[in-house]
Amino acid sequence: PHSPSRRQKCVAAEHAVYRGQTIGSRAALCPAQCRSFISALGPSQQLTAFSGRFPALDFLEEQCAEHLSVGVLAVVTLKDPLYAAPVVRALAAGGVRAVEVMLRTPQALEVLRCASDAAAQILAEGGPFVTVGAGTVLSENQVASAVQAGAQFLLAPSFCPAVVKAARAMGVPMVPGIATPAEIENAMQMGCRILKLFPAATIGGPAALGVIMAPYVDRVAFLPTGGVSLESMGGYLARPEVLAVGGSWLLKTSGSGVDARPDLEATEQAALAAVAEAARVRPSGPRPLPPPIAPG
């Protein structure tokens, strides 16, 4: 179901050349192969930027949305990079296909690197494609650091034009945080198609979400995070504008204080329960991602 079309391969290859590295994606091409692939195409087949957008960015946004279509984004904060790979494997076994590594600890970038490597290894072993991104991206420097550590998408708790611009310049999907119509419109003006509603529970939950999103139903997709739980996620996912919900409740721990560590079995079970709940609420999955928005 995830085999790439010729167009998708070209877009992914173009993106790999642009970033000078291999994308751990369905294209599975190294930079040299990417250049050969693109040069072999005729002029009419080569993709060019359109509507002020980099075409690979559109593809990667759609790929990100596809992995979020299971209905849940696992939000992970780890202090020890040694736990990154086991946690990603536990979440993948539970059906989660998108993981956000929060940049909130001293070792966060190393955790991100290890998580990204684990996702690539799972794919190499014939397992599912799990996309790994970085959360709490607050500066242009963090954009660059996160991408270098392997982030395939970025999230922020707020809307910062400089951060969005930096992410777009690197060809990486950016999901900025919004809480007001003004922030939604400003993010749309910069070409963002997926917006993080944060903090979702604090601003009123699903009821408030419907009011805020109403004017933008067919123009962007929303990712509510902040205070979302297994019990409340259904209320958000029942709305067609919602692509997925994000939650830290999926990562279970045992012990306390310095002895706290991830409980991998409980984490896998929490992932299974969340994915099952999403499937129950919307058995046909989310609607397609809205068309690309040309930056204003």
Side-chain angles (χ1 to χ4, degrees), residues 68-237:
L68 288 168
S69 66
V70 299
V72 62
L73 167 69
V75 180
V76 172
T77 303
L78 291 171
K79 295 181 180 180
D80 191 339
L82 292 176
Y83 293 123
V87 166
V88 169
R89 287 184 176 277
L91 291 167
V96 168
R97 297 295 177 260
V99 178
E100 172 189 356
V101 175
M102 304 283 273
L103 302 185
R104 292 187 179 182
T105 65
Q107 294 293 316
L109 288 174
E110 186 59 27
V111 171
L112 174 60
R113 186 173 291 106
C114 292
S116 180
D117 289 345
Q121 184 61 37
I122 291 171
L123 186 64
E125 294 168 357
F129 189 129
V130 179
T131 185
V132 177
T136 320
V137 178
L138 305 176
S139 69
E140 297 168 70
N141 287 338
Q142 282 187 312
V143 169
S145 297
V147 172
Q148 290 169 2
Q152 294 173 301
F153 62 98
L154 307 173
L155 303 98
S158 61
F159 171 71
C160 175
V163 173
V164 174
K165 184 177 180 180
R168 293 182 61 79
M170 296 196 74
V172 180
M174 179 75 207
V175 182
I178 57 89
T180 67
E183 290 173 327
I184 293 174
E185 293 181 17
N186 287 334
M188 289 171 56
Q189 284 295 313
M190 295 197 72
C192 298
R193 288 195 283 170
I194 307 173
L195 305 180
K196 170 180 173 177
L197 185 76
F198 179 83
T202 303
I203 65 174
L209 186 64
V211 175
I212 294 171
M213 295 187 307
Y216 314 102
V217 168
D218 299 317
R219 304 187 66 187
V220 289
F222 292 88
L223 176 67
T225 68
V228 182
S229 65
L230 177 64
E231 294 71 28
S232 66
M233 65 181 289
Y236 294 99
L237 293 176

Side-chain angles (χ1 to χ4, degrees), residues 6 10 36-48:
R6 185 175 178 82
C10 185
S36 298
F37 185 91
I38 292 174
S39 63
L41 296 177
S44 63
Q45 294 174 303
Q46 292 179 351
L47 294 178
T48 56

